[in-house]
Amino acid sequence: MRLRDWALDDRCYAVRLGASLMGVNLPTLTDATALKTGPALEIDGGILHGPADILQRLTSLPEVSREWHLGIGEERRDAWAESALERFSRLRQTALLAGLPTEGIPPQAFDLMTEIEDRLSDDRLRERPWVSGSHPGVADILLFPIAALSQDLEVPLDLYPAIRNFIRQFKALPGFMTMPGVPECH
């Protein structure tokens, strides 16, 4: 089992983070195609693509606590979170690769952050401490890079108290790891 990875890609970070939280030793191979296509997991003689599918596969490993499997398939939260991560990844890549300064924060970034804020707030009102339920799961892992790296798009997190709380709560999990090159304040 090996992850084809690009260290500064947010989708690849989600997979590495999930593996670390789940206690899975996941060797990585730097692969520039992962910057465009996202992470790929070489496993059982095949290749699995997409952060949600990879993380869901990791939850099925015998050494991973069954608690990480919570929320999979429920209201398609994983699919929603993966879609959010893909939208964020495109916005972030555009911003980071821009040759000239951009004209403010992309409206799509505000839309995405508001969508996540609303989901997190609604879950909190329903006494769900995590998007996945009573324990963090795949959907939470997929959302964390968006929340933590949103400052790359200059989104002011003071507008999103539920997201700030989510970041603090997530960073306290055993096995949490930061993304290389990202300051601790993110």
Side-chain angles (χ1 to χ4, degrees):
M1 181 169 66
R2 180 171 67 171
L3 179 67
R4 291 185 190 170
D5 179 52
W6 189 257
L8 297 180
D9 181 78
D10 35 62
R11 299 161 299 172
C12 294
Y13 169 57
V15 173
R16 291 190 316 271
L17 174 61
S20 179
L21 292 168
M22 293 178 209
V24 174
N25 180 21
L26 187 59
T28 61
L29 169 68
T30 300
D31 184 348
T33 60
L35 180 60
K36 292 181 183 177
T37 63
L41 182 68
E42 298 172 357
I43 189 166
D44 298 332
I47 298 178
L48 189 59
H49 295 274
D53 289 341
I54 293 170
L55 289 167
Q56 288 171 2
R57 177 65 174 93
L58 294 179
T59 66
S60 70
L61 296 175
E63 67 266 25
V64 174
S65 166
R66 296 304 301 159
E67 290 179 320
W68 284 104
H69 203 267
L70 288 176
I72 291 179
E74 181 185 335
E75 297 179 35
R76 300 294 300 145
R77 288 174 181 261
D78 296 348
W80 167 76
E82 183 172 44
S83 171
L85 181 57
E86 286 298 326
R87 287 183 285 157
F88 174 78
S89 188
R90 285 190 301 274
L91 288 169
R92 184 170 174 262
Q93 284 181 15
T94 300
L96 294 176
L97 297 175
L100 299 172
T102 58
E103 293 287 324
I105 302 165
Q108 304 94 322
F110 279 116
D111 294 344
L112 179 59
M113 295 303 284
T114 300
E115 183 181 335
I116 294 168
E117 176 75 12
D118 290 348
R119 175 64 65 108
L120 292 172
S121 297
D122 184 57
D123 284 344
R124 189 60 73 172
L125 289 172
R126 295 171 190 247
E127 298 183 4
R128 289 176 66 113
W130 300 97
V131 172
S132 299
S134 61
H135 187 276
V138 171
D140 300 284
I141 295 167
L142 294 169
L143 291 177
F144 183 77
I146 301 169
L149 299 171
S150 62
Q151 293 179 11
D152 286 352
L153 299 178
E154 299 179 12
V155 174
L157 285 180
D158 56 337
L159 300 175
Y160 305 103
I163 291 174
R164 287 194 329 266
N165 183 54
F166 175 75
I167 291 170
R168 280 191 300 276
Q169 186 178 347
F170 207 92
K171 285 183 171 183
L173 292 172
F176 175 80
M177 58 178 269
T178 59
M179 185 168 150
V182 176
E184 186 60 35
C185 64
H186 277 76

